[in-house]
Amino acid sequence: MMKKIETAEQFNELLKQEGKFYFFKHSLTCPISHAAYQEYEKFTTEYQETPSYYLAVQDSRSLSNEIAERFQIKHESPQAILFSEGKAVWNASHWKITKKSLTSALSENQ
């Protein structure tokens, strides 16, 4: 199940509390983002033990930008990022976000 994150405070709590989790940057108006969101949903349904979060870029632009700057990952939307022990260990954007790529990245970063 995915949980929406809207503030830097919420995100910082994730970094403290979760060892490994996925974070998805979603555009509410982009058809490519919608397709990626569906792939992310498929992944989270099958891998419910993997904490999964997202933000809507239109609602949380400052948080999206902060994540890009803090982890030196160029902002894109849609964008999926795998965090482990407070570090971004994998990311993908646009059509590269698939259930298969999310599963593979999780396996490679065990």
Side-chain angles (χ1 to χ4, degrees):
M1 188 169 118
M2 297 181 283
K3 182 177 178 189
K4 187 174 184 181
I5 300 298
E6 300 183 89
T7 67
E9 293 78 18
Q10 290 174 315
F11 182 77
N12 288 331
E13 282 301 308
L14 291 180
L15 291 174
K16 289 179 191 174
Q17 294 176 1
E18 302 285 7
K20 186 176 292 183
F21 65 94
Y22 266 112
F23 198 83
F24 183 75
K25 293 182 176 185
H26 177 48
S27 169
L28 301 172
T29 58
C30 172
I32 296 171
S33 191
H34 178 71
Y37 186 86
Q38 289 179 318
E39 290 291 312
Y40 190 63
E41 276 187 314
K42 288 179 199 173
F43 171 84
T44 63
T45 299
E46 187 169 328
Y47 293 88
Q48 293 182 17
E49 71 282 0
T50 303
S52 301
Y53 303 90
Y54 74 100
L55 65 73
V57 175
Q58 289 86 341
D59 298 336
S60 303
R61 173 66 71 178
S62 62
L63 174 56
S64 180
N65 291 340
E66 180 179 326
I67 292 169
E69 289 175 28
R70 185 170 173 184
F71 295 96
Q72 299 297 298
I73 299 171
K74 179 186 173 211
H75 165 76
E76 299 190 67
S77 66
Q79 185 172 51
I81 305 169
L82 177 60
F83 288 92
S84 181
E85 305 304 326
K87 297 177 183 170
V89 296
W90 177 88
N91 73 87
S93 66
H94 296 82
W95 296 113
K96 293 179 183 170
I97 301 170
T98 62
K99 180 178 170 260
K100 183 178 179 181
S101 70
L102 294 164
T103 303
S104 177
L106 186 63
S107 296
E108 292 171 9
N109 288 283
Q110 289 294 347

